[in-house]
Amino acid sequence: MNIIDIINKKRLGKELSYKELEYAFLGYLNKQHEDYQMSSLLMAIVINGMTLEETIDLTDIFIKSGDVYDLSSIDKNIVDKHSTGGVGDSTTLIVGPIVASCGLKMAKISGRGLGITGGTIDKLESIPNFDVKLTKREFLHNLKTVGFVDSSQTTNLVPLDKIIYNLRNNSGTTESLPLIVSSIMSKKIASGADIILIDIKVGKGALVKTKKDANLMSRWMKEIGVHYNKKVVTIITDMNTPLSNSIGNALEVEEAMQVLKGKDCKLYEVSKEISSILISLAKNISMEEAQEEVEKSIISGRAYNKFLEFVKSQKGDIKKLKIDANIKVIKSKYNGTLKEIDALKIGRLALKLGAGKINDRETIDYSAGVKLYKNIGDKVKKGEILATLYTNKNIKITEDDINCFEIN
Ligand code: URA
């Protein structure tokens, strides 16, 4: 077998066998192939796709590249959730504390930003001293004692996804249904939860652009769940507009804290839906009962306190969370109604401001990002503030960069 033949086979749109996928991907992990060879194969996959069988095989190869956690001694209905990637999506920081404060255990392995979409690990790292690199022992201990734990892939948990994820981010190969499915599902299966909810984001600011692809992704993820004897549920939610009014790592942590303190907004609605589904499945109660539990956890302050406990358990110092960037204001040029906030353009703008990175030479500015002050449907007056931009980069912001709002 050789890597060039495998790249060419996929370039011609042919199906790869388990052995060929293993040779290519495990070979890359073992440094037998070069970055440019794996990038070519990934691009051929982006262009020509993979079958469900190939995707299940790739997921399996990812899982077997490292440890698989057995959480059965901790609880029998451990839950997990994952978003396929969006702009301003900090639901994990809200759902984890809510469900843990309602007595569930949520074991989560998260990723970094991918393309224009944010990653939970970057958001958590904006909290000074927060430890995202937990050992297996620490992960299990926190799950048992706090009820919510969130870690990056340690060297032993799906190490193959970790390096492929980074390569995809740096090679324009993020938007591929089979690559997204195998990346997410391998982490979900390996980290050991029994009930897995996948929030498939669809729209301009998502990695998945069409409802058709979202439906197919949902079907494949459920098939993989059946394959590994896991309960997989999916929801499909809009990502044409940013999910929250804050985009950028520390800004999103602040916003998540406001939601946990009772702020009512779209981010809360989606978080409530995800939390209620998980609680209803894990406790075998109706959605109405589960929603009531969610509301009570917010009103009583239990969910917010659980967030503080979670941050402390991973050594984070929330009091030191800072947004110490320079600020630029975007004002409306027109009177009218806000018709659209383009999630893709906002995501690109946040990336340019430094909230994410497109290669390994760059570093993330945790304070960077965008804060939005108006929602779709709001009346806007000429000169009113639409957004503030936060950055420490010495960059020129052009009219095109901030052309994210449609007002008429
Ligand atoms: N989240 C992941 O973990 N992987 C992807 O490919 C996309 C979103």
Side-chain angles (χ1 to χ4, degrees):
M1 229 179 268
N2 93 49
I3 188 69
I4 306 295
D5 289 346
I6 293 174
I7 295 168
N8 280 327
K9 193 167 172 188
K10 188 41 82 182
R11 181 177 59 80
L12 296 170
K14 297 200 177 129
E15 189 170 12
L16 299 176
S17 67
Y18 191 102
K19 285 261 166 275
E20 286 167 326
L21 286 166
E22 192 175 47
Y23 176 84
F25 281 83
L26 271 192
Y28 179 64
L29 180 66
N30 297 328
K31 302 203 178 339
Q32 284 154 8
H33 316 308
E34 305 298 329
D35 285 352
Y36 51 81
Q37 293 173 320
M38 188 42 85
S39 304
S40 293
L41 180 58
L42 291 172
M43 188 55 86
I45 292 173
V46 170
I47 293 166
N48 289 323
M50 293 210 293
T51 61
L52 173 60
E53 284 65 34
E54 285 175 297
T55 308
I56 293 177
D57 287 351
L58 187 58
T59 307
D60 199 61
I61 292 162
F62 272 34
I63 294 170
K64 289 183 179 153
S65 71
D67 290 346
V68 176
Y69 289 179
D70 177 2
L71 308 178
S72 57
S73 64
I74 297 179
D75 203 300
K76 64 177 178 357
N77 276 333
I78 302 232
V79 300
D80 193 0
K81 61 89 46 185
H82 204 91
S83 157
T84 55
V87 177
D89 179 0
S90 50
T91 47
T92 294
L93 303 182
I94 300 164
V95 172
I98 289 178
V99 300
S101 74
C102 292
L104 267 53
K105 301 249 181 288
M106 181 154 140
K108 176 126 178 66
I109 298 294
S110 292
R112 297 189 179 277
L114 194 60
I116 57 138
T117 68
T120 305
I121 290 300
D122 298 331
K123 295 173 211 208
L124 290 172
E125 276 190 341
S126 73
I127 304 171
N129 304 327
F130 195 99
D131 185 3
V132 295
K133 292 191 183 120
L134 301 187
T135 62
K136 184 175 175 183
R137 237 178 99 235
E138 290 166 332
F139 188 87
L140 299 182
H141 176 263
N142 287 12
L143 180 62
K144 223 189 253 179
T145 53
V146 181
F148 172 39
V149 61
D150 199 343
S151 177
S152 64
Q153 284 142 286
T154 56
T155 37
N156 277 331
L157 206 94
V158 206
L160 184 50
D161 176 61
K162 193 175 172 186
I163 57 163
I164 294 293
Y165 194 89
N166 192 42
L167 190 63
R168 283 169 61 206
N169 195 35
N170 293 339
S171 63
T173 53
T174 54
E175 289 174 25
S176 152
L177 192 145
L179 293 178
I180 297 171
V181 169
S182 46
S183 163
I184 292 179
M185 295 313 289
S186 59
K187 289 190 286 256
K188 300 298 99 183
I189 307 291
S191 53
D194 309 287
I195 300 168
I196 300 162
L197 183 146
I198 310 290
D199 179 10
I200 302 177
K201 297 279 176 213
V202 60
K204 289 179 192 164
L207 299 176
V208 184
K209 302 292 184 208
T210 66
K211 195 80 194 279
K212 187 165 164 253
D213 275 352
N215 285 327
L216 183 64
M217 183 175 273
S218 163
R219 203 160 57 71
W220 283 19
M221 285 174 156
K222 287 182 189 161
E223 293 264 5
I224 292 174
V226 171
H227 192 82
Y228 290 96
N229 205 13
K230 303 279 185 187
K231 172 105 194 127
V232 174
V233 278
T234 60
I235 57 170
I236 298 176
T237 55
D238 170 73
M239 190 37 77
N240 283 308
T241 309
L243 185 56
S244 81
N245 291 337
S246 300
I247 300 95
N249 298 297
L251 292 168
E252 289 185 47
V253 172
E254 261 191 347
E255 178 97 14
M257 286 165 70
Q258 283 173 24
V259 171
L260 286 165
K261 285 181 184 164
K263 180 176 172 180
D264 197 7
C265 52
K266 194 168 140 200
L267 178 61
Y268 173 59
E269 284 310 314
V270 175
S271 303
K272 182 170 152 185
E273 185 185 357
I274 296 171
S275 305
S276 305
I277 295 171
L278 291 173
I279 293 169
S280 147
L281 289 171
K283 295 193 176 181
N284 199 15
I285 59 175
S286 70
M287 269 300 275
E288 289 71 28
E289 288 169 307
Q291 275 161 359
E292 242 175 70
E293 286 206 22
V294 172
E295 281 158 18
K296 278 191 193 149
S297 79
I298 298 277
I299 293 164
S300 64
R302 272 188 290 117
Y304 180 66
N305 287 336
K306 185 55 82 175
F307 173 82
L308 296 180
E309 185 189 346
F310 155 71
V311 171
K312 204 164 160 210
S313 72
Q314 294 193 218
K315 305 187 188 76
D317 191 346
I318 200 68
K319 290 203 187 90
K320 291 197 178 139
L321 182 79
K322 280 203 297 243
I323 292 140
D324 54 354
N326 297 316
I327 298 175
K328 182 178 160 58
V329 173
I330 305 181
K331 293 185 178 165
S332 174
K333 290 193 186 127
Y334 315 99
N335 290 316
T337 304
L338 183 57
K339 289 280 160 57
E340 190 185 353
I341 306 172
D342 188 312
L344 175 62
K345 290 182 181 168
I346 294 276
R348 283 190 181 141
L349 176 59
L351 202 57
K352 179 164 178 178
L353 295 168
K357 56 180 192 161
I358 52 166
N359 63 52
D360 288 336
R361 287 186 304 280
E362 292 185 335
T363 50
I364 293 179
D365 173 0
Y366 292 114
S367 294
V370 182
K371 222 167 170 166
L372 304 169
Y373 293 93
K374 294 282 174 191
N375 294 311
I376 307 275
D378 284 355
K379 294 270 178 249
V380 179
K381 288 201 189 102
K382 187 175 170 187
E384 251 191 299
I385 297 179
L386 295 174
T388 41
L389 312 184
Y390 297 74
T391 187
N392 286 309
K393 277 189 169 179
N394 193 9
I395 43 168
K396 188 168 166 7
I397 304 293
T398 65
E399 275 305 307
D400 199 37
D401 289 330
I402 56 173
N403 180 21
C404 312
F405 305 92
E406 190 189 319
I407 297 168
N408 54 41

